[in-house]
Amino acid sequence: MKKLLCLIISIMMLIGLVGCGQSKDNTQANGENAAQSDGGEKKVIVMGTNAEFPPFEYREGDEVLGFDVEIAKKVAEKLGMELQIEDMMFDGLIPALQAGKIDFIAAGMSVTEERKQNVDFSNGYYEASQVIIVTKDNDTIKGPEDLKNKKIGVQLGTTGDTEAQNIEGAEVVQFNAGFAAIMDLQNGKVDAVVLDSEPAKNFAAQNDQIKILDVELTQEEYAIAVKKGNTELVDAINSVLEEMKNSGEYDELVKKYFTAE
Ligand code: ARG
C-alpha cells in the first residue's frame, strides 16, 4: 500500500516537473518572439506603454508621441532595431512584459519595491511626485489631510492609486486614464484627483477649471522596465540614457516637452 502511494506521488511529481519545464520554455520562447524579425530586414523591438500620460506618452491621431517615445527610439537605434509601440492599459504592462509580449516598458513608470519583484529597472531618468488636483472653486481641500473620507480619482494601478488607497476613509475611484479622472472631477463626481506632477501640469494647462495643490505627496523616479534577468537590454538602455545626458540630448528633450515649467 505504502509503495503504491509512493509511486503515485512520484508520478505526480514527475508530471508536475515536466509541466513546469514546459511552461518555462514557453515563456522564454515568447520572450524571444517579442523582439522578432519583421519580414526579413530590421529586427523589431517592442515598447509597451499607456499613451494617456502627456508629455511622456500621448496619442496624436494614430501615432504615439512623447518624451518616453524619444528615449525608446534612441534605444532601438542603438540596437539597430525597429521600434514598435504597443499601447495598452497601464495595469497590463507588467503582465505583458512577463509574458514576453513586449520587450520593455517606457510609461513614466515609477520604481517601487513591489514592481522590482517582477521586473528589472534601468537607471532612473526622471524625478516626479504625486500631486492633488481639485477644481478651482474648491477651498476646502488644501492638502493631503483634507482628503480623508473624500472621493478620490486615480489611474488604475498607478502609484497615485496606491497613495490614495492609504488615505483614511477615502473612496478611491479608479479610471483607465488620468484624463477621465479629471473629467469626473470637473463633473463633480470625485472631490480630488491624485496624479503624477507632469501630466497634472499638462492637464491643468488645458483646463482653466482645475488647479494643482502646492504639495508633493511622494518622491518617485521613472525608469524603464525590462523582463527580469534581461541584463543585456537594461545595459543598453542605461548606456543610451547616459549618452543622452552627456550629449545634451536629454536636456533638449526636457526643453521640448516640458515647456510649461
Ligand atoms: N508614475 C506612475 C506609476 O508608475 C504613473 C504612471 C502612469 N503612466 C502611464 N503611461 N499612464 O504608477
Side-chain angles (χ1 to χ4, degrees):
M1 189 62 199
K2 243 190 190 166
K3 260 190 185 166
L4 188 67
L5 205 69
C6 250
L7 193 70
I8 293 174
I9 292 174
S10 316
I11 291 173
M12 279 169 73
M13 276 171 72
L14 205 70
I15 293 172
L17 277 178
V18 171
C20 284
Q22 269 176 352
S23 71
K24 202 177 165 206
D25 285 352
N26 278 342
T27 0
Q28 275 167 0
N30 281 340
E32 278 157 17
N33 278 348
Q36 65 196 213
S37 156
D38 184 39
E41 285 167 30
K42 255 187 178 176
K43 278 193 167 181
V44 168
I45 186 159
V46 188
M47 153 181 169
T49 196
N50 167 257
E52 300 281 358
F53 205 65
F56 293 93
E57 43 269 333
Y58 52 93
R59 279 193 166 272
E60 229 171 71
D62 285 341
E63 251 191 310
V64 177
L65 304 172
F67 192 84
D68 288 341
V69 179
E70 304 252 12
I71 294 176
K73 275 190 186 152
K74 288 277 167 194
V75 172
E77 200 177 290
K78 179 163 185 95
L79 298 169
M81 294 169 108
E82 190 186 315
L83 183 69
Q84 183 184 315
I85 302 177
E86 290 291 332
D87 185 13
M88 58 183 82
M89 296 259 293
F90 185 75
D91 74 333
L93 285 167
I94 290 181
L97 185 68
Q98 289 177 313
K101 289 183 186 140
I102 55 178
D103 295 302
F104 64 92
I105 302 172
M109 182 173 270
S110 307
V111 177
T112 68
E113 285 310 312
E114 199 191 333
R115 288 173 181 160
K116 273 197 208 164
Q117 313 277 309
N118 298 309
V119 301
D120 284 345
F121 280 107
S122 71
N123 294 332
Y125 65 87
Y126 198 81
E127 275 170 26
S129 59
Q130 297 298 314
V131 294
I132 302 167
I133 308 168
V134 293
T135 52
K136 263 197 182 146
D137 56 10
N138 185 323
D139 48 19
T140 54
I141 300 177
K142 296 195 178 85
E145 51 302 333
D146 304 319
L147 290 178
K148 278 182 197 160
N149 306 317
K150 290 288 190 314
K151 239 179 164 177
I152 307 172
V154 297
Q155 184 179 18
L156 175 69
T158 59
T159 43
D161 188 356
T162 315
E163 197 59 24
Q165 307 280 355
N166 289 334
I167 294 168
E168 201 187 308
E171 184 189 330
V172 181
V173 188
Q174 299 165 313
F175 296 85
N176 289 336
F179 183 71
I182 304 275
M183 287 293 102
D184 267 22
L185 174 68
Q186 228 176 306
N187 298 332
K189 291 188 187 144
V190 295
D191 302 306
V193 169
V194 171
L195 202 70
D196 293 55
S197 41
E198 279 307 324
K201 280 188 214 161
N202 225 270
F203 291 133
Q206 289 165 40
N207 186 329
D208 57 10
Q209 297 190 50
I210 59 173
K211 65 180 176 192
I212 302 170
L213 301 185
D214 199 15
V215 250
E216 296 189 333
L217 296 181
T218 56
Q219 293 303 324
E220 302 177 10
E221 193 162 39
Y222 296 167
I224 293 175
V226 302
K227 194 173 182 177
K228 260 205 164 306
N230 194 349
T231 44
E232 212 176 305
L233 184 53
V234 98
D235 288 349
I237 294 170
N238 284 338
S239 53
V240 167
L241 289 173
E242 176 89 22
E243 282 162 22
M244 288 179 78
K245 283 192 178 152
N246 293 338
S247 67
E249 277 172 285
Y250 181 90
D251 290 336
E252 285 298 311
L253 283 187
V254 170
K255 255 191 233 153
K256 178 171 172 191
Y257 287 96
F258 305 101
T259 42
E261 308 260 313

